[in-house]
Amino acid sequence: MEQRERPGDGPGRTTCIAVVVLVAASGAVEAISFTALGHVFAGVMTSNLALLGMAIGRGRGTGVASAVLALAGFGAGAGLVAWVTHGRAEVATHWPPRVMFCLIGEAVLLAVGAGFWAASGGAPGAVARDALQCGAAMAMGGQAATMVAAGRAAAPTTYLTGTLATYIVHGVGRSRPDGWVPARLGALIVGAAAAMALRRVAPAWAGALPFVLVSAATLIAARAVFRHRAAGGRQA
């Protein structure tokens, strides 16, 4: 039976599913970013900092530029979301309106990127690659900050190293570990695999996958919001 989202509860099943879908979107963005947009990641800044250091050490200006673009885009996206949300929301059951607004903004940004990707037939030129890389990183920075702003009703969706470590440490000896963690880890793999499969069979459409997934996650999360409001109206 589906878990209800009631005041005082943790995130319900619907909200958890939305998080999983956002992780799949992150996997799709990372696959496209690394393989087609300069061999850097859009949302994993730890790796990009290491890649930046390696590029500097090897004297490769192209690698430096790609890493800096990704870092700048991520920072811009996260900073913009921090300004819109004004910090953390203390809602445990669903995502507040400002969080939903930021997800819609991310979907719009990804839609614009998908349009440019399709126009290039899935093979953007150097200038377009730089713009798409920065845009993808901005989307991932915004998504990461949005999940921080969502507080207890969310979980990391763009970087899962800490999630995996926490699951292993806290899961050892527990009879009922959090089943949503393997779901999120699997979603990252599925999203990346789906993006690569689309690049192979329909390259012009691969850029649309992140937009579709973020839009789906937003709609799923909106269902939890409407449910919460309906429950509040009945209680009133």
Side-chain angles (χ1 to χ4, degrees):
M1 182 178 294
E2 181 165 332
Q3 180 183 344
R4 299 289 184 183
E5 286 95 346
R6 298 188 301 268
D9 288 345
R13 181 183 178 88
T14 303
T15 304
C16 289
I17 291 173
V19 171
V20 170
V21 177
L22 280 180
V23 174
S26 176
V29 172
E30 298 294 12
I32 294 171
S33 174
F34 191 80
T35 61
L37 302 177
H39 290 91
V40 293
F41 295 100
V44 187
M45 293 304 108
T46 303
S47 296
N48 285 343
L49 288 168
L51 290 170
L52 176 60
M54 289 187 287
I56 292 172
R58 291 182 295 185
R60 294 183 58 183
T62 302
V64 171
S66 297
V68 168
L69 277 172
L71 288 163
F74 188 92
L80 180 59
V81 167
W83 178 74
V84 171
T85 59
H86 301 298
R88 181 183 297 273
E90 295 301 328
V91 181
T93 57
H94 61 282
W95 298 343
R98 287 180 180 176
V99 167
M100 299 297 295
F101 176 79
C102 289
L103 286 177
I104 293 171
E106 181 191 359
V108 171
L109 179 59
L110 290 172
V112 172
F116 279 104
W117 177 274
S120 71
V127 174
R129 276 200 307 271
D130 288 344
L132 288 169
Q133 175 61 66
C134 191
M138 185 178 293
M140 291 297 96
Q143 183 175 306
T146 298
M147 292 296 95
V148 171
R152 292 174 293 162
T157 58
T158 60
Y159 52 94
L160 300 183
T161 303
T163 298
L164 177 59
T166 301
Y167 179 74
I168 293 171
V169 172
H170 290 175
V172 172
R174 286 190 177 182
S175 58
R176 296 182 63 185
D178 183 3
W180 289 105
V181 172
R184 293 198 294 271
L185 295 172
L188 188 72
I189 297 171
V190 170
M196 294 309 297
L198 271 176
R199 281 202 67 200
R200 187 176 67 251
V201 301
W205 291 99
L209 180 59
F211 161 71
V212 170
L213 290 171
V214 170
S215 298
T218 304
L219 291 172
I220 293 168
R223 184 184 176 196
V225 175
F226 294 146
R227 231 182 230 165
H228 176 79
R229 289 181 176 175
R234 288 195 298 269
Q235 290 173 1

